[in-house]
Amino acid sequence: MPYGDPKFTVVNPNPDVDESLRSCRISDWLGAVGISGGSWVYGYCFGKPTRIPCANTAMALGMTCASMMLLQNGRARLRGYKENEREVK
């Protein structure tokens, strides 16, 4: 990904984890829940003969992915790389 100037107003050029999580929106949280739940279902469907342990492991991996996605979206908003009209107010 090439580095470029932000297209939107920069709120904080170097946000920490707490600020990034506070800037997450409902759609971000719903996406994280969807990824976590979907990964549990995936692990359950393809985890035969040990369905529950496979489903729980898949959900742990899905939650890791979802948490990284949450932080990435929140940080991008604060740094001006995503639409951030609410954060500017």
Side-chain angles (χ1 to χ4, degrees), residues 1-82:
M1 178 178 188
Y3 293 100
D5 293 329
K7 296 179 182 178
F8 302 99
T9 306
V10 176
V11 178
N12 184 353
N14 194 15
D16 60 4
V17 173
D18 200 34
E19 291 173 347
S20 297
L21 286 176
R22 275 189 263 131
S23 71
C24 289
R25 298 182 180 171
I26 296 294
S27 60
D28 295 333
W29 289 104
L30 290 176
V33 168
I35 288 172
S36 299
S39 62
W40 190 90
V41 171
Y42 177 84
Y44 185 83
C45 290
F46 293 104
K48 193 176 182 182
T50 56
R51 291 187 187 270
I52 298 299
C54 287
N56 292 340
T57 302
M59 188 170 98
L61 293 171
M63 287 175 71
T64 302
C65 172
S67 65
M68 285 190 239
M69 207 176 75
L70 275 174
L71 289 173
Q72 177 183 338
N73 287 341
R75 188 171 172 96
R77 257 188 225 100
L78 291 174
R79 295 180 73 201
Y81 291 104
K82 288 183 108 177

